Amino acid sequence: MGRRRQAGRRSPLTAEERILGAVLDVLADHGVDGLSIRSVAQAAGVSPAQVQYYYRTKRDLVRAGFDYSSGQFLAAVAAAEPATLRELTLQWLPLDEGRERRARVWLAYTEMAARDEQLAAEAARIDEELRQWFIGAGVPGPQAAMLLALIDGATAQCLVLPLPRRRELAENTLLAFLDQQNLKVTFDR
């Protein structure tokens, strides 16, 4: 007789989800240089052949890891329900350990995109989508581009600071920029 799943219990992770989680772990802990089919297989507890079934190349692993991490980011932002641009901006920064992991994955993706034309084009497309989203939310075009650049720079700078000092950096850079530009965008919930 089959067992019924108890209400509220999550089903076990699929092999692909374990692999994607392992990609994030390896990227966050060791960067692009530490990422390989073998390192991901070991971290996921699967065979290298199983990793290659889903992802043939290192580029595929990085892209899939970034997409997976981005999905987690969007879900976290949606769950936080930011009401203002200030709140949304703070969601972006690695101000806690979970967001730090995500930022390390972004940094690894950016590092590889700087050397790979295909990933660079994809990164540029994503940045343009984000810029257009900010514009659609009421941020003027030049300020939207500056805001994205500040978010990227502040994210990288946060990663070299101890966690307790990161909020101060956010207040002195991004939040100060929003105040100086008088960007007081609010979002409908």
Side-chain angles (χ1 to χ4, degrees):
M1 181 179 278
R3 293 179 8 177
R4 287 188 173 175
R5 194 179 325 171
Q6 292 178 341
R9 290 190 64 181
R10 292 189 61 195
S11 60
L13 295 177
T14 66
E16 186 174 18
E17 290 169 329
R18 286 195 324 272
I19 290 167
L20 287 170
V23 168
L24 299 187
D25 290 342
V26 172
L27 283 173
D29 294 341
H30 306 289
V32 172
D33 291 339
L35 185 74
S36 67
I37 300 289
R38 190 171 305 284
S39 66
V40 170
Q42 183 176 12
V46 300
S47 71
Q50 198 166 12
V51 174
Q52 285 185 309
Y53 174 80
Y54 294 103
Y55 309 104
R56 308 294 279 155
T57 66
K58 188 174 192 172
R59 177 194 294 156
D60 293 342
L61 285 170
V62 171
R63 179 183 294 124
F66 182 73
D67 289 347
Y68 190 64
S69 180
S70 295
Q72 291 177 334
F73 166 70
L74 293 174
V77 168
E81 297 182 335
T84 66
L85 188 57
R86 291 173 71 83
E87 290 175 15
L88 175 67
T89 301
L90 289 174
Q91 286 296 313
W92 233 296
L93 298 178
L95 300 177
D96 60 39
E97 290 180 8
R99 288 185 276 176
E100 178 176 336
R101 178 175 182 249
R102 192 174 55 231
R104 289 186 185 285
V105 171
W106 163 81
L107 191 61
Y109 176 81
T110 302
E111 175 190 350
M112 192 156 177
R115 296 181 274 158
D116 181 296
E117 282 184 31
Q118 188 176 5
L119 290 178
E122 191 172 305
R125 180 191 55 76
I126 292 167
D127 280 352
E128 181 58 22
E129 284 179 19
L130 290 170
R131 192 177 74 77
Q132 290 300 324
W133 185 87
F134 279 132
I135 290 169
V139 178
Q143 284 89 350
M146 286 187 267
L147 180 57
L148 282 173
L150 277 170
I151 289 170
D152 286 352
T155 298
Q157 186 64 39
C158 278
L159 290 174
V160 300
L161 292 174
L163 276 171
R165 292 195 43 219
R166 294 177 185 179
R167 178 68 187 216
E168 179 184 352
L169 174 74
E171 290 172 4
N172 292 332
T173 57
L174 284 167
L175 300 182
F177 171 78
L178 294 175
D179 290 343
Q180 288 170 352
Q181 298 296 313
N182 200 29
L183 296 175
K184 308 230 185 282
V185 175
T186 58
F187 306 109
D188 294 329
R189 289 190 181 187

